[in-house]
Amino acid sequence: MLKKDEPSSSQTQPSSSQIHFDICGIPDVELNSSLQSKGTEQQLECSKNGPRVQQLTSGMVLLKKFINLKNQVEIIKQCRELGLGSGGFYQPGYKNGAKLNLQMMCLGRNWDPETKRYGHIRSIDDATPPSIPVEFKHLVQKAIQTSRAFIKRTSNSIEDTFPKMSLKETSNPTKDELPKMSPDICIVNFYTTSGKLGLHQDKDESYESISKGLPVVSFSLGDSAVFLYGDKKEDNAKKVILESGDVLIFGGESRLIHHGVGNILHGTAPKLLVDETNLHPGRLNLTFRQY
Ligand code: MD6
Ligand code: FE
């Protein structure tokens, strides 16, 4: 049976009634048509529940499915456009000549994995990095605000239960745990399904940025990946799956946490996202920082 409470501007009914039952769900069913149907538009705009927030450790917050499908599509399309133009994707190398197992592009400022330095042009072709699209910056701000509000809420409830234990924190617990940040750098990586990134710390930003614990904000799109964190050895690191639309934030005490990317889980990207963008198998990741 089809739901009747759809907008009256309704289009021709798609051949499968499945779409109507699941119109605001994260698409985990096969869809017959994607691009032309308005049902798809609505699928793109809606998400079943609000984002789930998980605090992984102090200053490290995971916002599950924070970016809705419509915005995921827009981000992928913009990155594709930018990636094809001047300053676009290339396969970077390390000092020893080995190539990183990914394609990279920098926005706002260039980061050179060979010298570990930031600059205004990149040495391989003297290109100036494109600017960070303003829509990306807005999403970063929203993600930080959501995380700060979550930390504040949960630390308030701890204060209600153990009022004496957190007296010294009463001024502003959020401020210390996860500071605000205004990104001027975005590193965009595309990992094919064999892509990986070894455990490392992000420590090439300014002394001021790092010492204040200004967070790194990471968007995941496309195929899911195993994200490793918390230790420099892979065997001892904790693991969390990052799915398309997830936002991971690490700042404050976790600003210099070791982290890396393990296996990319082939075929896990939302089908609709792939239909809309033709994204290759693999994972697109955007990390934002303030120099
Ligand atoms: C990720 N990226 O792809 C994590 N770090 O999920 C990083 O850790 C990273 O993409 C430093 C520079 C670029 C990166
Ligand atoms: Fe990193």
Side-chain angles (χ1 to χ4, degrees):
M1 205 174 75
L2 297 175
K3 276 196 176 170
K4 292 290 175 203
D5 55 353
E6 286 164 16
S8 51
S9 64
S10 212
Q11 62 299 325
T12 33
Q13 295 296 344
S15 54
S16 164
S17 60
Q18 284 291 329
I19 289 169
H20 300 283
F21 278 111
D22 209 14
I23 203 153
C24 285
I26 306 286
D28 50 7
V29 289
E30 289 265 311
L31 296 173
N32 287 348
S33 73
S34 61
L35 275 166
Q36 295 88 348
S37 87
K38 212 162 178 198
T40 299
E41 264 301 299
Q42 286 162 349
Q43 288 247 9
L44 288 170
E45 300 228 27
C46 302
S47 75
K48 210 178 277 173
N49 306 304
R52 277 184 296 125
V53 185
Q54 273 171 259
Q55 183 148 16
L56 300 180
T57 174
S58 173
M60 191 171 190
V61 175
L62 174 57
L63 304 170
K64 292 298 292 176
K65 304 277 179 185
F66 187 76
I67 309 172
N68 69 25
L69 270 172
K70 187 179 183 184
N71 287 336
Q72 291 180 44
V73 168
E74 288 308 315
I75 294 169
I76 290 171
K77 287 182 175 171
Q78 290 224 46
C79 286
R80 177 184 182 250
E81 284 289 316
L82 293 168
L84 291 172
S86 171
F89 284 115
Y90 75 106
Q91 189 179 10
Y94 291 117
K95 255 191 189 135
N96 64 9
K99 290 281 183 196
L100 272 78
N101 209 351
L102 47 80
Q103 294 284 327
M104 191 178 95
M105 154 174 77
C106 296
L107 308 178
R109 233 183 242 238
N110 186 62
W111 177 69
D112 184 343
E114 220 174 302
T115 61
K116 307 271 180 207
R117 285 179 187 277
Y118 284 99
H120 291 285
I121 50 166
R122 67 182 187 192
S123 57
I124 49 151
D125 55 6
D126 290 338
T128 304
S131 308
I132 305 175
V134 67
E135 301 84 1
F136 294 10
K137 291 190 180 188
H138 286 155
L139 262 176
V140 170
Q141 295 307 343
K142 219 176 98 184
I144 294 173
Q145 270 168 26
T146 303
S147 304
R148 287 170 58 85
F150 177 82
I151 290 170
K152 198 169 177 187
R153 252 200 331 276
T154 49
S155 71
N156 280 348
S157 63
I158 290 169
E159 261 174 50
D160 293 345
T161 322
F162 306 105
K164 281 184 194 147
M165 290 176 72
S166 44
L167 268 183
K168 65 177 168 86
E169 296 281 295
T170 47
S171 51
N172 189 351
T174 338
K175 200 177 170 202
D176 298 326
E177 188 153 350
L178 192 65
K180 293 177 185 169
M181 183 273 286
S182 235
D184 51 15
I185 304 151
C186 171
I187 302 176
V188 185
N189 284 336
F190 184 76
Y191 301 78
T192 59
T193 47
S194 63
K196 275 183 195 290
L197 185 64
L199 283 149
H200 64 277
Q201 293 167 292
D202 290 5
K203 54 182 182 187
D204 301 330
E205 296 72 33
S206 70
Y207 171 79
E208 201 189 2
S209 178
I210 292 173
S211 59
K212 284 183 179 164
L214 303 193
V216 174
V217 176
S218 151
F219 293 180
S220 292
L221 302 158
D223 281 332
S224 305
V226 178
F227 186 82
L228 306 154
Y229 69 97
D231 200 282
K232 47 178 136 184
K233 288 201 198 120
E234 204 170 317
D235 288 347
N236 301 337
K238 296 193 185 94
K239 293 188 177 101
V240 66
I241 304 285
L242 297 183
E243 300 172 286
S244 197
D246 289 355
V247 175
L248 178 70
I249 302 188
F250 51 99
E253 281 181 29
S254 294
R255 178 58 179 77
L256 288 176
I257 197 164
H258 281 87
H259 61 278
V261 180
N263 289 338
I264 307 294
L265 308 175
H266 192 187
T268 50
K271 184 177 183 299
L272 198 54
L273 184 74
V274 177
D275 286 349
E276 291 281 321
T277 60
N278 277 322
L279 183 70
H280 283 299
R283 170 174 181 262
L284 188 70
N285 176 257
L286 287 76
T287 52
F288 298 87
R289 315 114 206 271
Q290 183 177 325
Y291 183 76

